[in-house]
Amino acid sequence: MNRELLAKAKSYGFSDKQIAHLTGTTEDAVRAERKQTGLIPSFRLVDTCAAEFEAYTPYFYSTYDRGDDESTPSTKRKIMILGGGPNRIGQGIEFDYCCVHAAFALKEDGFETIMINSNPETVSTDYDTSDKLYFEPLTLEDVLHIYEREKCDGAIAQFGGQTPLNLALGLQANGVTIIGTSPQNIEVAEDRKLFSAMLEKLNIPQPSNGTATNETEAVAIAARLGYPVLVRPSFVLGGRAMQIVYSDVELSQYMRFAVEASPERPVLVDKFLEDATEVDVDCISDVGQFEDPAQGTTVVGGMLEHIEFAGVHSGDAAMVLPPHTLSQKVIGVIRDYTHAMARELKVIGLMNVQYAVKGDTVYVLEVNPRASRTIPFVSKAIGVPLAKLAAKVMAGQTLTALGFTQEIWPTYWAVKESVFPFNRFHGQDILLSPEMRSTGEVMGLDADLGVAYAKSQIAAGSPLPMGGKVFISVSNAHKRELAAIGKLYVDLGFELVSTSGTAAVLMEAGLKVQKVHKLSEGRPNAIDLLKNREIQLVINTPSGQTPRSDEVKIRTTAVYTNTPIMTTLSGAKAAALGIAALKRAGYAVRTVQEYYPTEVARPGTGK
């Protein structure tokens, strides 16, 4: 490698990392050689006026082609905000909301805001959101160029999701000041061994677990824990390649084909808590600013109880705020654990915790000392801009000075429902899993929980039917709850439709059922009735880890015919609750602001 070849490679778009791979060296070594020879990119202004007028938009991209550098750094105090990068399933647009609010908050506090993002479909890449926008990839190399060029005072890596978070330690090692919770404490939450040690120290339960670097280790851990187990790679985005497995055969298959395990990239194996209730908690804290964390403040922004049982990714689950089935004792334990972990991790800014509640025992599943997907939802539900407050806390303010020291517990219900792209992927099964698949979310607000749930279904494009036929088909494991579910819908005036096995259980309970053929038995079958619009709702829980082809066909046909479908019994119960509430009282429309209690101080305003 020589200077000319290096310059040519850079002008062709090769990254330092690619060059290091091709030349058998390291990214750090290539960067050092490049800087030593004075080979650094220049920044050009995006011409937003199509060359008809001179463009003044603060919107830049880097290039190694010769020419003037059009970015002129100011002498103001600056904070860089790292965006979420390209939008894809698993990388929620909710993180962009947090980045935008951070830019607004820091501008209010007198900072110049430098945004780095590479997704044209976001608000953070609107040229008037931040003082300066760099439309660049979120890589160590590109972020360092801009940080050094602008001479920033600090960088925020907590708001863009997992993508910028994975850069935090590398950026810090190269002289970047990461503001907010320190990358070392974020590492404690991400590294399974450090995390387990922290929970043991705090005496907080977690599901039994282990880390495996190969197939033999994984099978041995599963034998110790007992099936089912939840397996996942460490440091992943949107629960990618996360799976619940029920046998040695499935686990061996997973380790061979789904992941590339190694000592650097271990696979996490957790005991899966079946039929547990999952709870997401978002909190904001300034404890890391104080020598003694006990002097700081931690406030729970919102507790969201999942409608589906544990095992569905939090980005996909329907959730209720405040919790609707948890006891005051359990809520108190969740609050205590959240405060204890915020103090131990010396959190400055936002933290998200995922809990599983089984009986009266509260287990911690995961802690993320960063902004989460639920921050926009919680902020709108309680009327407090948590991301804005967090940015101000990260820049040095305290929650006491900002006027936010008390939890806000709504007197109404807020239901979050996810929106899925299944109608775009023909033949794709719609079952939810630990791997995230949603592409958006909606909110239903009401004083009545049933109506709030019904509103969320309307917003998600799948309004609940007020009458007609319900096709029910559930797995053997759910047969004991079948009669109660069937009775709920009969009492609401629906007719039940089912195949012979499910129909026998329903009839034994004294319920009237219209029997239809299984797909393999001939016609008419459930698919015929769906296509003829004779079925208004489908309740279909999977028969096992590997779904039968009949089930997949029924579920995908329901999606294509826009027939509401529930794949969990908890979802079916929530739908019945919603239908009953709509039949009883209908629903009214109010603005989100009308729900906020007027006596609550608006944090950030000092009032």
Side-chain angles (χ1 to χ4, degrees):
M1 179 58 72
N2 55 56
R3 192 191 187 286
E4 289 70 31
L5 188 57
L6 190 56
K8 193 172 186 181
K10 295 308 289 182
S11 72
Y12 280 0
F14 283 87
S15 68
D16 289 351
K17 200 170 185 177
Q18 288 171 314
I19 294 167
H21 175 71
L22 293 167
T23 57
T25 181
T26 65
E27 183 180 359
D28 287 346
V30 173
R31 178 163 50 250
E33 184 181 344
R34 182 170 52 71
K35 288 171 90 170
Q36 194 180 353
T37 58
L39 192 59
I40 57 171
S42 58
F43 293 95
R44 302 280 178 83
L45 196 70
V46 172
D47 186 356
T48 52
C49 298
E52 292 195 23
F53 310 97
E54 191 174 351
Y56 293 103
T57 52
Y59 184 0
F60 301 94
Y61 65 95
S62 66
T63 174
Y64 278 88
D65 292 341
R66 292 193 184 120
D68 294 337
D69 193 316
E70 296 174 322
S71 174
T72 311
S74 72
T75 55
K76 289 177 74 176
R77 291 187 306 160
K78 299 180 195 132
I79 290 182
M80 171 192 281
I81 301 163
L82 303 182
N87 204 32
R88 61 253 191 227
I89 294 174
Q91 176 71 50
I93 206 72
E94 300 89 343
F95 295 126
D96 199 66
Y97 165 101
C98 295
C99 292
V100 170
H101 275 237
F104 293 162
L106 294 168
K107 272 188 194 180
E108 285 173 15
D109 281 7
F111 289 95
E112 183 175 326
T113 54
I114 313 289
M115 183 74 70
I116 304 179
N117 207 358
S118 55
N119 181 0
E121 294 297 316
T122 57
V123 182
S124 67
T125 52
D126 287 356
Y127 61 79
D128 54 354
T129 294
S130 49
D131 294 305
K132 262 180 152 177
L133 166 66
Y134 285 89
F135 202 83
E136 293 287 280
L138 283 149
T139 66
L140 187 66
E141 175 184 346
D142 292 288
V143 173
L144 283 174
H145 284 155
I146 298 160
Y147 189 86
E148 289 162 2
R149 179 85 174 79
E150 290 285 350
K151 296 183 172 59
C152 295
D153 294 272
I156 291 179
Q158 279 188 28
F159 281 5
Q162 196 69 40
T163 306
L165 208 61
N166 288 347
L167 295 176
L169 278 170
L171 289 170
Q172 190 184 52
N174 282 279
V176 173
T177 303
I178 302 289
I179 66 170
T181 309
S182 76
Q184 284 70 25
N185 284 330
I186 290 171
E187 185 81 0
V188 170
E190 295 268 2
D191 183 288
R192 182 41 58 110
K193 286 179 180 156
L194 297 173
F195 180 56
S196 294
M198 179 192 80
L199 293 182
E200 275 175 39
K201 178 184 170 185
L202 297 173
N203 201 23
I204 295 175
Q206 64 174 322
S208 305
N209 60 74
T211 54
T213 58
N214 56 51
E215 185 184 330
T216 309
E217 284 181 15
V219 171
I221 292 165
R224 172 170 63 81
L225 302 179
Y227 287 103
V229 293
L230 181 70
V231 285
R232 57 195 163 131
S234 44
F235 292 94
V236 295
L237 175 74
R240 191 175 54 79
M242 201 186 284
Q243 198 174 309
I244 301 163
V245 298
Y246 292 82
S247 68
D248 285 353
V249 174
E250 284 177 25
L251 183 55
S252 296
Q253 247 184 333
Y254 176 87
M255 294 300 290
R256 275 181 221 158
F257 304 114
V259 291
E260 196 180 310
S262 69
E264 294 77 42
R265 298 170 65 112
V267 169
L268 312 178
V269 185
D270 294 271
K271 174 66 181 165
F272 178 64
L273 302 168
E274 288 191 286
D275 297 339
T277 301
E278 200 162 328
V279 181
D280 256 72
V281 175
D282 283 307
C283 76
I284 183 168
S285 181
D286 60 15
V287 295
Q289 294 180 3
F290 297 86
E291 285 280 321
D292 176 9
Q295 292 181 310
T297 306
T298 300
V299 183
V300 170
M303 283 188 200
L304 300 112
E305 181 180 341
H306 292 211
I307 287 173
E308 290 87 3
F309 283 129
V312 173
H313 191 280
S314 60
D316 288 354
M319 302 183 191
V320 179
L321 183 154
H324 63 300
T325 68
L326 301 183
S327 67
Q328 284 305 311
K329 179 187 169 188
V330 165
I331 287 168
V333 170
I334 288 173
R335 185 180 290 116
D336 291 345
Y337 287 173
T338 304
H339 282 247
M341 287 186 287
R343 283 193 298 273
E344 186 65 24
L345 290 168
K346 297 183 174 63
V347 171
I348 303 172
L350 296 168
M351 181 177 85
N352 170 262
V353 191
Q354 287 164 27
Y355 294 98
V357 179
K358 188 139 188 182
D360 276 342
T361 307
V362 177
Y363 297 90
V364 172
L365 301 178
E366 199 175 333
V367 176
N368 295 301
R370 58 165 170 83
S372 74
R373 286 184 179 81
T374 44
I375 284 294
F377 178 87
V378 171
S379 298
K380 288 174 181 173
I382 66 172
V384 176
L386 293 173
K388 280 183 94 169
L389 296 190
K392 293 186 178 213
V393 166
M394 291 160 83
Q397 294 206 53
T398 65
L399 287 171
T400 302
L402 291 167
F404 187 50
T405 56
Q406 297 292 319
E407 273 182 40
I408 293 175
W409 202 261
T411 54
Y412 45 87
W413 301 98
V415 177
K416 173 195 153 241
E417 182 57 281
S418 299
V419 178
F420 298 94
F422 296 129
N423 59 351
R424 303 283 204 285
F425 297 98
H426 282 230
Q428 176 72 40
D429 195 9
I430 68 166
L431 279 185
L432 303 183
S433 73
E435 189 165 28
M436 185 174 161
R437 304 169 83 187
S438 65
T439 50
E441 61 183 47
V442 294
M443 173 191 266
L445 285 177
D446 204 88
D448 183 298
L449 177 56
V451 175
Y453 181 80
K455 284 179 175 179
S456 74
Q457 300 308 299
I458 293 167
S462 186
L464 298 172
M466 291 296 101
K469 293 180 178 178
V470 181
F471 176 76
I472 304 182
S473 172
V474 300
S475 67
N476 290 332
H478 295 137
K479 287 271 165 69
R480 64 182 183 278
E481 296 177 69
L482 187 58
I485 292 282
K487 189 171 186 318
L488 275 177
Y489 283 91
V490 168
D491 290 348
L492 288 169
F494 285 85
E495 295 174 44
L496 305 182
V497 179
S498 202
T499 53
S500 53
T502 307
V505 178
L506 291 167
M507 288 192 288
E508 204 175 298
L511 299 171
K512 188 178 172 187
V513 189
Q514 176 190 340
K515 277 201 263 187
V516 292
H517 293 301
K518 289 180 179 173
L519 269 55
S520 56
E521 293 172 350
R523 309 176 82 164
N525 54 46
I527 287 182
D528 295 324
L529 297 185
L530 280 166
K531 286 180 176 175
N532 294 339
R533 304 289 195 271
E534 291 177 50
I535 289 173
Q536 280 65 50
L537 179 70
V538 174
I539 299 169
N540 176 237
T541 66
S543 58
Q545 182 60 16
T546 309
R548 292 197 295 261
S549 60
D550 280 17
E551 293 176 11
V552 177
K553 286 174 186 166
I554 289 168
R555 288 193 285 264
T556 52
T557 305
V559 170
Y560 304 148
T561 55
N562 285 325
T563 307
I565 175 165
M566 302 294 154
T567 57
T568 63
L569 291 189
S570 49
K573 287 173 191 167
L577 185 70
I579 293 165
L582 289 181
K583 280 177 174 279
R584 187 173 60 249
Y587 69 91
V589 177
R590 296 167 72 194
T591 64
V592 70
Q593 289 83 0
E594 287 176 81
Y595 284 94
Y596 301 151
T598 51
E599 66 275 11
V600 173
R602 294 271 73 78
T605 63
K607 296 174 185 170

